[in-house]
Amino acid sequence: MEPQEFKIYKDDTPAKKVYISGKITGQTDEFVAAKFSEAERYISAFKMQPVSPLKNGLPKDASYKEHMRRDLQMLSECQTILMLPDWKSSPGACEELQYAYTNAIEILFL
């Protein structure tokens, strides 16, 4: 009996992108950064790729409208949106949720 040859298969499937949605406006920078960082760690633990609006490439002083335009563009490139517990008190997060519903993006709630 000849020895079997073992093959190693590599999964090249890209990680699912998960957009993080939650309240930003009206909270301290430190609190928001900690909250979104924790969500990124949570998503990464499931071998998925977190996408944070805090890393949208715009300067902090860009207008709300500019941030939302960029954030929705980032969301459009994701398969899933993760709604943080405070999403209901954020007009932007509500808009992102509506976008996800409209565009058949998977929705998860913490």
Side-chain angles (χ1 to χ4, degrees):
M1 180 178 216
E2 293 187 32
Q4 283 187 295
E5 186 176 320
F6 291 97
K7 295 182 180 179
I8 298 174
Y9 294 95
K10 183 179 177 189
D11 184 6
D12 289 333
T13 306
K16 180 187 281 193
K17 289 183 179 180
V18 181
Y19 183 88
I20 304 165
S21 182
K23 185 173 180 164
I24 295 173
T25 304
Q27 298 180 324
T28 67
D29 292 345
E30 296 79 19
F31 180 78
V32 171
K35 174 175 59 174
F36 278 77
S37 180
E38 182 178 345
E40 286 184 61
R41 285 191 301 278
Y42 177 79
I43 292 165
S44 296
F46 290 97
K47 305 295 185 215
M48 295 183 280
Q49 180 183 349
V51 176
S52 173
L54 301 183
K55 299 176 180 176
N56 68 10
L58 294 176
K60 187 178 175 202
D61 63 350
S63 72
Y64 176 82
K65 187 175 181 178
E66 290 172 308
H67 277 283
M68 284 306 301
R69 186 179 314 117
R70 176 65 182 130
D71 295 347
L72 292 174
Q73 190 270 324
M74 291 170 61
L75 173 56
S76 75
E77 298 170 1
C78 295
Q79 294 77 40
T80 304
I81 185 171
L82 176 66
M83 305 302 297
L84 299 181
D86 60 1
W87 70 269
K88 289 180 183 177
S89 62
S90 167
C94 290
E95 185 176 342
E96 291 164 347
L97 178 62
Q98 183 60 49
Y99 182 92
Y101 275 126
T102 303
N103 292 281
I105 294 171
E106 178 184 34
I107 302 167
L108 302 175
F109 295 89
L110 274 184

